[in-house]
Amino acid sequence: MTAVAGGRRRGWLLLLVLALLAVVGFVGTLAANRSSSESSEAFTGERLRVQQDYSDYWKAMLVANESGDGSALAGHAAGEQLEILRANLGALTGAGLVAKGSVDHRIRSITVDGKLATLVDCVDVGKWIQYEARSGRVQPGQLTNRPKQLASYTLAPRDGRWLVTRSEVLSEC
């Protein structure tokens, strides 16, 4: 392998890592990119609103990563999380890529404590794949057998909605 080819491969791997980070909180059409939520309990009241806004966050992120248009992200994320989402979307589109597919969720818990909520979710991004934007070909060299990730999301209320402000991968799930 030449030094140039090795450098390109490292560049693509870096973009893949950035995109995977976006998936954890930071990452088609809504019908093709639906997010399903399963939980061992039914959420009610404020916890239900947190769950619904979190689901909308993922829908907006999936649309942004497929279309390259992140203008709706500010309605679902804020602060550090919004900065990370925008940076990762910029890296993805700058490389001529889009991400398509679905992301599945198994929400483990939601707690609301005053002006913050914490949601813990087992996120499965195994069907969310990068494609070359122009040709539609699957981006070579990406991991397709990714483990499900247990992640914690912090949400804060703004203008009647709960916005994701931070995320952290805790472990595999």
Side-chain angles (χ1 to χ4, degrees):
M1 176 181 343
T2 67
V4 172
R8 274 197 198 124
R9 174 167 268 170
R10 280 190 295 278
W12 287 117
L13 289 175
L14 176 61
L15 286 172
L16 175 61
V17 169
L18 288 173
L20 288 174
L21 291 174
V23 168
V24 180
F26 321 99
V27 343
T29 62
L30 289 178
N33 290 333
R34 63 178 169 72
S35 294
S36 65
S37 294
E38 299 176 16
S39 176
S40 59
E41 64 179 297
F43 298 112
T44 59
E46 203 61 27
R47 294 185 329 152
L48 178 60
R49 284 186 281 285
V50 168
Q51 179 187 20
Q52 290 168 337
D53 288 342
Y54 172 76
S55 178
D56 290 344
Y57 160 85
W58 274 96
K59 289 174 187 175
M61 189 168 49
L62 290 170
V63 168
N65 279 272
E66 181 168 343
S67 68
D69 178 8
S71 60
L73 294 174
H76 304 282
E80 173 187 331
Q81 193 68 21
L82 182 57
E83 291 174 23
I84 290 168
L85 290 175
R86 286 177 172 162
N88 288 328
L89 181 60
L92 189 70
T93 58
L97 301 173
V98 296
K100 300 179 188 180
S102 62
V103 176
D104 294 320
H105 302 274
R106 185 174 180 90
I107 296 175
R108 300 283 179 91
S109 66
I110 298 173
T111 57
V112 178
D113 185 16
K115 293 292 183 183
L116 290 179
T118 303
L119 184 148
V120 177
D121 186 10
C122 179
V123 182
D124 182 357
V125 297
K127 296 178 274 183
W128 198 37
I129 307 295
Q130 291 181 358
Y131 296 82
E132 294 175 359
R134 286 197 173 142
S135 69
R137 290 187 308 230
V138 171
Q139 174 62 28
Q142 64 183 308
L143 300 173
T144 55
N145 188 20
R146 297 175 292 227
K148 297 174 186 170
Q149 296 181 329
L150 186 65
S152 175
Y153 296 84
T154 302
L155 296 92
R158 299 246 167 60
D159 300 324
R161 294 187 54 91
W162 287 92
L163 304 182
V164 177
T165 59
R166 186 172 183 280
S167 65
E168 176 184 7
V169 176
L170 305 172
S171 65
E172 291 183 13
C173 53

